[in-house]
Amino acid sequence: MTDEELVVEFALTRLDNPDLDLEEVAALVVRRMGEDRMLEFASRTLAVRGELRGAAFPSAVEHVLRVVLTMRG
């Protein structure tokens, strides 16, 4: 999944859930994407941090937030 596709998914999820904060929206995105994407996103976060292991779900949420905030500028 490209960063642009991830931002679109995040935006659509945010439109459906306008009362949630950014981290809660990111968590919804990760849940909707499924386990394979969660592991993909988590591995990207851990690679950026230079860590070998970590909690998958929070790491995946962090990746989604990092991409969205980077794209926002």
Side-chain angles (χ1 to χ4, degrees):
M1 170 172 270
T2 67
D3 289 350
E4 291 81 9
E5 292 170 326
L6 183 56
V7 169
V8 169
E9 184 66 33
F10 184 91
L12 293 173
T13 302
R14 185 156 170 105
L15 285 173
D16 290 342
N17 302 280
D19 296 334
L20 299 179
D21 67 20
L22 294 179
E23 188 169 350
E24 292 169 323
V25 174
L28 279 176
V29 169
V30 171
R31 283 188 189 102
R32 288 181 181 178
M33 293 285 180
E35 191 171 312
D36 289 340
R37 290 282 187 206
M38 178 184 67
L39 294 175
E40 176 188 339
F41 296 160
S43 68
R44 290 182 188 182
T45 294
L46 295 174
V48 167
R49 286 193 210 156
E51 296 178 4
L52 295 177
R53 60 184 180 183
F57 187 78
S59 296
V61 171
E62 182 180 331
H63 172 73
V64 172
L65 284 174
R66 180 180 297 125
V67 169
V68 168
L69 295 175
T70 300
M71 296 294 256
R72 284 178 79 183

